[in-house]
Amino acid sequence: MHSDPEALWALEESSCLVDAARAAGLRREFEGLPFPPGTEPNAAAEVAARWLVNRGAITAWQAKRLLRGERGPFFVGDYRLLDRFDCPTPNAFRARHDASGHEACIVVLATKRCVPVVWADIVQRTKAAHAADDPVLVRPLALEKADKLRFIVCEPVAGEPLAEQLAARGPLAPGDAAALTLDVARAVAHLHRLGCVHGGISLDTLRREPPPVHPAGHGG
């Protein structure tokens, strides 16, 4: 981790996450603030990173990478990478299309594996999966290229991984578990009818909106 805030500000600007004028303004604003009481000098960069996240200038994932001394890449084509999904699918990111502001999930494909035969199969599978209309599925929207990279643009992914929900809240109620199993089975059957396979169903790839939190004293 970088303890030097000078290195953090330099990386923030060189990463192109924030344009030069805004980066300079943010730095002046931060340096004009009183330092939080009890903060160790070697934690100054982490304090600055948290402040930038709270200001919406960068995301928590971007901040972690900057603190590790990484300047990116934070962009793939016209998409700004906001977070990396912790799931079996490699190189899957939450991203935002800078021109439109629309969020998406993008999967960056391994360049060495995109030989003609494999690429033709990817194109065919992506077209078939795009036709899927089951609400449980995250559909691919397009195949795009940027420089030497090829990537799949998918609908934005909502909810949190089921693995995290189970770890935090315990097992699902029997009725909820049965309903979820039925939804997944229906979606997989739909993919099979289209000639596709999912190939990566797990508690990490299954995402679910967290249950509502009811105020104390009120039933749900």
Side-chain angles (χ1 to χ4, degrees), residues 212-220:
V213 177
H214 299 288
H218 292 76

Side-chain angles (χ1 to χ4, degrees), residues 7-48:
L8 176 71
W9 294 113
L11 281 170
E12 179 212 21
E13 184 170 345
S14 63
S15 69
C16 298
L17 288 171
V18 181
D19 64 61
R22 189 186 179 200
L26 287 167
R27 180 171 182 171
R28 287 194 300 270
E29 184 179 350
F30 177 79
E31 291 177 345
L33 297 174
F35 222 62
T39 301
E40 295 292 333
N42 62 2
E46 293 183 41
V47 172

Side-chain angles (χ1 to χ4, degrees), residues 115-149:
V115 296
V117 174
V118 175
W119 179 247
D121 184 60
I122 290 173
V123 171
Q124 181 180 356
R125 289 173 181 268
T126 302
K127 287 181 178 178
H130 176 73
D133 56 6
D134 191 288
V136 170
L137 298 169
V138 175
R139 292 190 311 144
L141 301 176
L143 280 168
E144 297 194 18
K145 295 174 66 176
D147 298 324
K148 295 181 179 180
L149 290 178

Side-chain angles (χ1 to χ4, degrees), residues 129-140 155-159 179-180 182-191 193-194 198 205-209:
H130 176 73
D133 56 6
D134 191 288
V136 170
L137 298 169
V138 175
R139 292 190 311 144
E155 293 174 325
V157 177
L180 178 61
L182 180 61
D183 286 343
V184 172
R186 184 191 65 233
V188 170
H190 182 49
L191 284 177
R193 288 194 296 272
L194 294 171
H198 187 283
T205 55
L206 290 173
R207 289 181 170 259
R208 187 169 178 261
E209 294 292 344

